[in-house]
Amino acid sequence: MSEAAASTASRTPTTVSVDLGERSYDILIGRDIIDRAGAEIAARLPGARMAIVTDANVADSHLRTLTRSLDAADVEYVSIVVPPGEGTKSFAAFETVIEALLEARIERSDAVLALGGGVVGDLAGFAAGTVLRGIRFVQMPTSLLAQVDSSIGGKTGINTSHGKNLVGVFHQPSFVLADSGVLDSLPEREFNAGYAEVAKCGLIGAPDFFGWLESNWRAVAAGWPEREQAIASACMAKAAIVAADERESGVRALLNLGHTFGHALEAAAGYSGRLLHGEGVSIGMVLAFGLSEKLGHCTRADVDRVVAHLSEVGLPTRISQIPGEGFGVDELMALMAQDKKVKRGRLTFILAKGIGRAFIAGDVPIETVRSFLEEQIGR
Ligand code: NAD
C-alpha cells in the first residue's frame, strides 16, 4: 500500500493531484464529500452556474443530496437527466445534452457538473469540451469505475456504430470529487466491474498493491477505510501515468491493459447489460496475460494468479462466461482491427512480463492473436 493510501485511514479526505502544469487539478476522495460539494464548488469556481448532468439511477439516489448542498452554498444550477447505460454514450444523447445546455443559456464562465458513472462522465465531459468551444467541468464520479479511472485524465467521448469512444476530445476537469459513500447504493455487479480497473492498476505497475488487494478485497468491498485506500492508490497510479503522458503518445497506453480484447467483446455483446465494461476488461486482462504467456513473456503461475483473484472477487475471466450466444473469432478479430490500437496492420497490445510488469507491444502478429483466440473461445 502506498503512503497516500495509508493516510486515508482518517476521515479527512485524501487529495491526489494530477500534475499537468496549468491544467493540474485535485481529486478529493472521502466519505460524505457530496454534502460539501456546494462549498467546494463555490470556493473553487466562484460565481459559476452549474449544469448538472446525471442519469436516472444516480438522480434517484443522490441528486437531492447534491442540490441541497449547492443550495446551501448559493450555487445556481440546472439538472439534465439522461437514461442510464452505455447506449447513452451516443450522438443522440450528446445532442440532447448540448441542446439542454444551450436552452439553459449556459455561459463560458459556467461549468458542467458530471454526477454519475463513466457513461455520464464521458458524455458530459464531451459536451463541456465542445459547447461554446469548451467550458469548465467538474467530475463527481459515483461508480467505482468512474472514481478510479474514467473521471481522471480528461478522456471524454461517445461511441459510434464503428466502435467505442471513437468520437471525443481531451478535456481535463477542473477538479474531481469522489465520495466513496455513494458507492453504497451501487449494485454489486457494477462495483465488481469497477474493481477490475482497481486490480488493473496493480497488474500494470504496482505488484505490492495487487498483493494488498489479494489480502484485502473483501474489506475494500465492505467500505471504510480499505475502500478509500484502494481508491486513493488506484487514483495515484492513474494520475502518475496521465501526468507523464497526457495525450497517450506513450506510457498512457499501459492503462489499456485488457482493453483491446475487452472492447471487442463489449462491441460483440452489443454494449448491453450482457457484458459490463469492467467485466470485458476482466476477461481482457486474463487474455492479455494468456497471450503474454503464449509469447513467452510471463509464466503460467502469473496467469493463474490473475484468474484466481478476479474470479474470487466474482468477475468473469473466460469468454464462455458471457451469457447468450457465443462469439466467432472472425467477428472479434474484425472488431479489434477497428479499435484505435491498430497501426499499419499490426495490433498493439499491452502485455506483461509478470504481475505489475506490463509493457506496450506494438507489433503483435495478427495470426498469433487469431490462433490464441481460437484456443480461448471454446474454453
Ligand atoms: P455507468 O456509467 O453505466 O454506471 C454503471 C451503472 O451504475 C449505471 O446503471 C448507473 O446508473 C449506475 N450507478 C452509477 N453510480 C451509481 C450509484 N452511486 N448508485 C446507484 N447506481 C449507480 O458505467 P461505469 O462502469 O461507471 O463506466 C463505464 C464507462 O466508462 C464506459 O463507457 C467506458 O468506456 C468508460 N470509461 C472511460 C474512461 C475514460 O478515461 N474516460 C476510462 C474507463 C472507462
Side-chain angles (χ1 to χ4, degrees), residues 106 165 205 259 275 309 334 360:
I106 197 93
N165 303 328
H259 283 59
L275 183 71
H309 182 55
I360 302 165

Side-chain angles (χ1 to χ4, degrees), residues 193-213:
Y195 186 91
E197 304 278 10
V198 177
K200 182 188 79 177
C201 291
L203 292 176
I204 290 173
D208 293 352
F209 180 51
F210 189 77
W212 182 83
L213 288 173

Side-chain angles (χ1 to χ4, degrees), residues 55 57 86 89 117-119 122 142-143 155 164 182 185 190:
D55 76 24
N57 292 340
E86 189 69 34
K89 270 176 61 173
V119 164
D122 282 9
T142 63
S143 69
K155 279 192 184 177
K164 262 179 80 80
V182 303
S185 61
E190 296 288 352

Side-chain angles (χ1 to χ4, degrees), residues 55-58 61-62 84-86 89 116-120 122 142-146 149-152 154-156 159 164-165 182-187 190 193 197 238 252 259 263 266 277-278:
D55 76 24
N57 292 340
V58 178
S61 306
H62 302 294
E86 189 69 34
K89 270 176 61 173
V119 164
V120 162
D122 282 9
T142 63
S143 69
L144 179 58
L145 182 138
D149 195 354
S150 61
S151 65
I152 311 160
K155 279 192 184 177
T156 74
N159 304 327
K164 262 179 80 80
N165 303 328
V182 303
L183 301 182
D184 290 343
S185 61
L186 192 66
E190 296 288 352
E197 304 278 10
K238 175 144 188 190
R252 185 164 178 173
H259 283 59
H263 279 171
E266 259 188 294
H277 175 73

Side-chain angles (χ1 to χ4, degrees), residues 13-31:
T14 299
T15 303
V16 173
S17 298
V18 185
D19 192 2
L20 289 170
E22 59 183 17
R23 290 184 310 290
S24 296
Y25 53 95
D26 290 339
I27 306 164
L28 266 61
I29 303 152
R31 277 196 92 82

